Amino acid sequence: MSATQTLYNVQCSFGEHRAQITNYCACIDCLKPLCPECIQEHYQYHTQAKIPAAIQSIMNTRTNCEKKIAKAIEQLKKEYEQYDIQYLFNPDEILNQEISRMNEVKQQMFDIITIFFRQLENVLETKVKENQLKVKNIGGIFQRIQTVIDQLEILRNSLLNSSDPFQHFHKACRLDVKSLLDRYKSDLKKSIKSKELDPINVHIDEHKLFNLKNQLSKIVVIQTTDHDEIGDNISVLSKNKDQSINYSVQGLYAQYATNNQNGPHHFQQKPNKQQMSNIGDNDEPFYGTMTNQDFQISRPNYFLGQHKFLHFIINKTNILKICNLETKQWMTFEIDYQVPEFHKSFVAPNGDIYISGGLIDQKDNRKESIIRRYTLDGKMQQIGQLTHPRSSHSMVYCNQAIYILCGYQEHRKMSLSLEKYNLITQKMELCASFNKPANSPACCAFNDRYIYKFGGNDENGQILLIIERYDTQTNKWEYIDPEIDEQESHKFHTIYQCSACVQINRNNIYVFGGYDNDDKGVSFSFLLNIEDNKHKIYQVDTKPLLYPEGFWNNQVIINDHKLYVLQNIEVDSNQIDEINRALLCFDGQRWSELQYQISY
């Protein structure tokens, strides 16, 4: 018997047993050594208690415990290296790095200010030159006036110095001074008025200049970040389009746990670049802001009850995050379902959340077929089943029904099907197929009758420059071929995937954001005008987004004449922060971002 074996050469002291200990129950509620006579009785105990047994040999138990400890050591070392604890205690390195970052921001501010004043100088120079050209055009009048003045000087000298003044008396007496002045004054006024000379001066608002310091303090803030926040910010996901061929996901969410002890999060308006440079507003900054009626948000509030919120669910977890638009708080919920990647969730006007689709098996490329409804009282219910399971699809609410369309089906096929869940009958219905399959298009309802589908990717992963419309009354699809003015056409390139869209007033659908063929975010936007069944694209890039990025959660909510939507956050090249979203608001004139604050 080896020295190692003698460590376990212990006899059982339970009851009358005197056999050698050979096994061990690793169940967390037991943790007991067992001899051969104990094993059967212990299995019976677990059966009665309805707790799975974990009985193994002594050697296997030791091996498993050693592996568990080794894994813990390995993971702790990774965490240690990942956060670089030594760096946190190196003040010189912190100072050098953070001061360098602030200097970069300072240089960016200098560049912005330099460009701004250079533009002003160019405008001033242009206006001065324009006035100079106008002055040259009326120079002939001034020359004629100067000639008359010279002639009058000669007449006056002759009158005073001539030995024969009578002939000069004759000219002077016939001179009509009033008529002479009136003629040239009239000529000058007419000429100057016709040339529209512009008075030029530079106005400096001293009050706003004084407030610039307060604005700077909002742009750059020194703050500390705890390790929990660092861990959250490290969790990112690729902008993979779920083509069900090149599937690649980086996820760190298996150990994700909620912690509501710090209370809910509030949000408030966040200072943004738009406030400095008027990005996203086509109004002339030198002459004030003018209201653009085309972007007026006159559609009624989306929600019918007391619940008014935006939401998203973290992939491959049961974590639901909700932003309440009334209480201005962020809340986290645990739901009774681990949601797969590339799923779609959608909130109905009554506040119920519907979840459909997603990739549940990478190897076999299987898609989720069950449709679930979640209510904020914590109830999860299976309400229906898709005829065609799918992922990277779209969901739209229209006239008491939820429509599910597009995306990828089983076996890497793109879906042509449209399915409908009737909220009144609570039944699934298969509707007419659309014309062109698409991955992650933008979809919205129009006038409680039509569903418009914008862009997305085709089967080769290329952007689709296609707009389709479905009539819920006739169950028919049709292609839309909109008009576009020549002045607008040079700014309009395509429609992107993962964009967002919403009907904002009687005649206009607002489309914005998304990803291009290289998975780069865009801030591009336009209006689709629908009037007398005619379609027109206009206001191209008049109101672009603050930041170029797309929307995995592209449902847009209208509340109190404002748009609210959750935009993806890019934390690294082509990488998306999986567990956070940027909350955007559009008030009909400009976009703003609302930031989160902890409520104490």
Side-chain angles (χ1 to χ4, degrees):
M1 182 178 296
S2 67
T4 302
Q5 289 175 321
T6 59
L7 295 175
Y8 311 107
N9 189 18
V10 179
Q11 287 189 340
C12 178
S13 60
F14 179 75
E16 299 298 325
H17 302 169
R18 290 295 179 265
Q20 182 180 343
I21 297 297
T22 57
N23 294 77
Y24 190 84
C25 181
C27 176
I28 195 67
D29 295 325
C30 295
L31 304 179
K32 293 181 178 180
L34 303 170
C35 72
E37 296 183 49
C38 294
I39 293 176
Q40 185 62 35
E41 295 179 7
H42 200 72
Y43 270 122
Q44 292 177 358
Y45 161 74
H46 276 280
T47 301
Q48 293 175 357
K50 296 181 179 180
I51 300 173
I55 300 175
Q56 298 176 343
S57 70
I58 292 295
M59 298 304 294
N60 283 345
T61 303
R62 186 186 70 167
T63 300
N64 292 336
C65 288
E66 190 277 331
K67 288 181 179 179
K68 183 177 182 181
I69 295 171
K71 185 176 181 180
I73 293 172
E74 180 184 0
Q75 290 180 344
L76 283 173
K77 285 183 177 180
K78 285 183 179 180
E79 291 295 320
Y80 180 87
E81 294 170 357
Q82 180 179 6
Y83 293 120
D84 194 1
I85 300 299
Q86 297 301 319
Y87 160 76
L88 296 178
F89 297 100
N90 189 336
D92 291 336
E93 188 171 349
I94 294 175
L95 282 173
N96 292 336
Q97 178 174 314
E98 298 306 314
I99 290 175
S100 174
R101 291 181 61 220
M102 286 194 293
N103 285 335
E104 290 178 3
V105 175
K106 181 171 66 175
Q107 186 59 48
Q108 291 177 12
M109 292 180 180
F110 286 158
D111 293 342
I112 292 172
I113 293 172
T114 300
I115 293 172
F116 174 74
F117 280 99
R118 188 179 297 141
Q119 291 174 342
L120 283 181
E121 291 170 3
N122 292 338
V123 172
L124 181 62
E125 182 180 3
T126 300
K127 290 186 177 294
V128 171
K129 288 182 178 180
E130 288 175 352
N131 275 357
Q132 287 179 332
L133 291 174
K134 294 172 183 177
V135 169
K136 288 181 181 179
N137 293 335
I138 63 174
I141 297 177
F142 287 100
Q143 291 178 357
R144 292 196 297 273
I145 293 175
Q146 187 61 48
T147 299
V148 172
I149 291 173
D150 293 342
Q151 291 174 353
L152 291 175
E153 287 286 354
I154 294 172
L155 178 60
R156 183 174 64 174
N157 291 334
S158 300
L159 183 65
L160 295 175
N161 301 320
S162 175
S163 60
D164 183 11
F166 294 103
Q167 58 177 334
H168 305 300
F169 287 167
H170 180 71
K171 290 183 178 180
C173 290
R174 293 184 60 188
L175 177 64
D176 187 346
V177 177
K178 185 177 184 305
S179 297
L180 181 66
L181 292 175
D182 288 344
R183 185 181 70 183
Y184 284 106
K185 284 168 65 176
S186 176
D187 289 344
L188 280 172
K189 287 181 178 180
K190 289 180 181 179
S191 180
I192 291 174
K193 185 175 181 181
S194 66
K195 303 304 177 186
E196 294 183 349
L197 293 179
D198 299 320
I200 301 172
N201 63 81
V202 176
H203 172 70
I204 298 176
D205 192 323
E206 299 290 344
H207 178 69
K208 291 184 178 179
L209 183 62
F210 178 78
N211 287 334
L212 179 60
K213 180 179 178 181
N214 293 332
Q215 295 299 321
L216 291 175
S217 66
K218 296 178 182 178
I219 296 173
V220 181
V221 180
I222 297 176
Q223 61 184 13
T224 58
T225 305
D226 59 31
H227 287 96
D228 290 337
E229 291 175 348
I230 293 175
D232 285 351
N233 291 333
I234 290 173
S235 298
V236 297
L237 190 68
S238 171
K239 293 180 186 174
N240 189 278
K241 300 175 183 176
D242 182 27
Q243 296 178 9
S244 299
I245 300 174
N246 300 320
Y247 173 76
S248 174
V249 175
Q250 298 176 3
L252 301 174
Y253 315 111
Q255 303 298 325
Y256 187 94
T258 58
N259 185 357
N260 293 324
Q261 294 178 358
N262 292 329
H265 292 77
H266 284 259
F267 57 81
Q268 64 180 16
Q269 185 163 335
K270 180 178 182 179
N272 52 59
K273 298 177 183 178
Q274 188 181 53
Q275 295 171 339
M276 296 183 62
S277 59
N278 290 326
I279 295 175
D281 196 334
N282 212 30
D283 299 329
E284 173 59 49
F286 299 108
Y287 298 101
T289 301
M290 299 179 66
T291 302
N292 191 332
Q293 295 298 322
D294 292 330
F295 288 91
Q296 182 180 2
I297 303 171
S298 58
R299 293 290 294 173
N301 288 351
Y302 177 77
F303 288 101
L304 303 177
Q306 60 180 353
H307 298 306
K308 299 178 181 180
F309 61 89
L310 292 164
H311 80 283
F312 70 97
I313 307 173
I314 301 175
N315 284 329
K316 298 180 71 174
T317 74
N318 63 340
I319 305 302
L320 166 68
K321 289 194 171 184
I322 283 180
C323 172
N324 192 312
L325 300 179
E326 289 293 297
T327 64
K328 294 183 171 55
Q329 294 178 348
W330 275 91
M331 296 171 288
T332 302
F333 296 85
E334 290 186 4
I335 62 178
D336 296 331
Y337 172 55
Q338 182 168 308
V339 180
E341 295 155 15
F342 307 113
H343 67 277
K344 199 71 176 179
S345 64
F346 195 88
V347 59
N350 67 349
D352 291 347
I353 297 174
Y354 292 82
I355 309 168
S356 68
L359 183 66
I360 58 177
D361 189 315
Q362 176 187 352
K363 182 179 180 180
D364 297 331
N365 205 261
R366 288 192 299 111
K367 306 297 193 298
E368 176 63 87
S369 63
I370 302 298
I371 301 176
R372 294 170 171 83
R373 176 173 57 210
Y374 177 79
T375 54
L376 292 186
D377 59 5
K379 294 180 180 178
M380 177 72 75
Q381 180 184 6
Q382 296 185 12
I383 60 170
Q385 188 163 355
L386 292 169
T387 303
H388 301 284
R390 64 190 77 208
S391 63
S392 293
H393 50 295
S394 295
M395 295 177 72
V396 182
Y397 173 84
C398 182
N399 195 19
Q400 296 297 316
I402 292 178
Y403 293 84
I404 302 171
L405 64 158
C406 299
Y408 276 92
Q409 293 181 187
E410 306 273 340
H411 311 299
R412 301 183 177 92
K413 290 176 58 179
M414 295 193 73
S415 175
L416 274 170
S417 70
L418 169 68
E419 301 188 51
K420 165 185 173 183
Y421 178 73
N422 192 316
L423 296 178
I424 298 176
T425 63
Q426 298 185 9
K427 293 182 179 179
M428 294 294 300
E429 302 173 22
L430 195 60
C431 305
S433 298
F434 41 91
N435 298 299
K436 183 67 178 177
N439 174 42
S440 299
C443 299
C444 70
F446 183 80
N447 287 347
D448 296 325
R449 174 176 176 177
Y450 300 100
I451 294 175
Y452 279 78
K453 165 178 163 283
F454 297 88
N457 287 343
D458 64 12
E459 55 272 16
N460 298 316
Q462 298 300 305
I463 298 296
L464 289 168
L465 183 55
I466 287 178
I467 303 175
E468 290 186 65
R469 182 176 77 170
Y470 173 73
D471 190 336
T472 61
Q473 295 183 5
T474 63
N475 191 30
K476 292 182 179 179
W477 283 90
E478 64 176 330
Y479 280 118
I480 300 299
D481 185 17
E483 300 176 357
I484 184 168
D485 294 336
E486 291 183 1
Q487 295 179 347
E488 301 270 14
S489 61
H490 75 279
K491 296 185 291 183
F492 188 90
H493 304 294
T494 188
I495 305 172
Y496 299 90
Q497 70 129 355
C498 290
S499 299
C501 61
V502 65
Q503 181 184 0
I504 58 175
N505 50 47
R506 180 179 179 183
N507 300 113
N508 290 318
I509 294 177
Y510 186 19
V511 185
F512 48 89
Y515 297 123
D516 62 18
N517 280 324
D518 296 323
D519 264 355
K520 300 295 183 182
V522 299
S523 58
F524 176 80
S525 70
F526 65 93
L527 289 182
L528 178 68
N529 180 266
I530 304 104
E531 209 161 352
D532 297 328
N533 214 29
K534 295 180 179 179
H535 296 77
K536 179 180 179 181
I537 290 176
Y538 73 129
Q539 296 286 9
V540 178
D541 243 6
T542 302
K543 306 287 185 182
L545 293 169
L546 290 173
Y547 312 113
E549 193 51 55
F551 303 84
W552 285 347
N553 311 91
N554 58 358
Q555 183 179 12
V556 187
I557 299 300
I558 293 181
N559 189 56
D560 292 338
H561 305 292
K562 294 180 181 179
L563 305 183
Y564 294 90
V565 65
L566 296 178
Q567 187 183 37
N568 292 353
I569 300 175
E570 186 178 49
V571 293
D572 198 358
S573 177
N574 216 34
Q575 297 290 322
I576 295 299
D577 186 342
E578 169 70 357
I579 62 176
N580 292 296
R581 298 289 186 273
L583 175 60
L584 303 186
C585 176
F586 179 74
D587 61 3
Q589 295 190 35
R590 56 179 52 83
W591 285 97
S592 60
E593 180 183 355
L594 304 180
Q595 67 178 355
Y596 318 144
Q597 281 192 328
I598 296 177
S599 175
Y600 295 96

